[in-house]
Amino acid sequence: MNDSQSGLIDAARSVVGDMKLGKEFSAGGVGAAIRTVQGNVYTGICIDLGSGLGFCAEVAAIAQMLTRHETQIDTVVAVTRDRILPPCGRCRETMVQIDVRNLDCKVIIEQGREVSLRDLIPNHWLTQDWGTEQNTLRSSRRSGSGRVIPESRPNHC
């Protein structure tokens, strides 16, 4: 493992720490660190809430990165106190959707081993030329009846 990987893993571990949120919820069991192509490091922790309202540590680190107007990731890692975790599908997709160049970022998946995000999410739909009909569907959603509804504005929380 090189010093660059070790430093990023240490940055992710430095934010790990279980925090109780009320009686049933928690935060901080997983920490993540992102190094951007500009060399800046951003960290985040997971938030585990009910009804699917929580989010992963990688998403928290991405949000911090975006507040600094950066989008391109060089390397990413997520950790618990004692192990490295590969990003879940939602986190992989988030990284690609904020900047398709992130398909070429490095993902540390275990001590001394990294792969490209492209290896973890091959043949991504944003990199495919599916033709006019599919390109239209990319910028649309389906109603409950299956009708295609074009997106006219960005989604908001």
Side-chain angles (χ1 to χ4, degrees):
M1 179 171 50
N2 63 42
D3 290 341
S4 178
Q5 280 185 346
S6 182
L8 204 60
I9 292 168
D10 289 345
R13 282 225 166 90
S14 75
V15 296
V16 172
D18 291 323
M19 177 190 311
K20 292 300 271 177
L21 303 175
K23 293 180 181 179
E24 299 180 26
F25 309 119
S26 65
V30 175
I34 289 173
R35 180 180 303 104
T36 65
V37 296
Q38 289 85 6
N40 297 312
V41 174
Y42 301 102
T43 58
I45 60 170
C46 67
I47 300 177
D48 296 314
L49 301 173
S51 303
L53 295 177
F55 52 84
C56 298
E58 295 96 327
V59 172
I62 288 167
Q64 186 184 47
M65 176 183 73
L66 293 174
T67 65
R68 305 302 297 174
H69 303 277
E70 292 188 67
T71 62
Q72 196 174 359
I73 300 168
D74 175 70
T75 309
V76 60
V77 66
V79 301
T80 63
R81 284 195 174 110
D82 58 357
R83 66 181 216 185
I84 296 171
L85 306 170
C88 71
R90 180 177 179 217
C91 290
R92 296 172 194 189
E93 186 66 31
T94 299
M95 288 185 269
V96 176
Q97 287 194 31
I98 63 164
D99 193 324
V100 74
R101 295 174 296 179
N102 288 333
L103 280 167
D104 297 317
C105 79
K106 297 177 286 271
V107 180
I108 301 171
I109 59 170
E110 60 186 41
Q111 202 80 13
R113 183 169 175 227
E114 60 186 36
V115 298
S116 75
L117 183 57
R118 186 180 307 276
D119 291 336
L120 298 177
I121 189 168
N123 304 314
H124 193 273
W125 62 275
L126 285 175
T127 64
Q128 304 299 312
D129 182 12
W130 298 102
T132 307
E133 181 181 348
Q134 280 293 342
N135 288 334
T136 300
L137 293 178
R138 285 185 195 166
S139 62
S140 63
R141 60 184 173 85
R142 293 201 179 268
S143 70
S145 65
R147 181 173 57 100
V148 174
I149 303 169
E151 291 291 338
S152 57
R153 60 185 165 80
N155 294 328
H156 297 281
C157 297

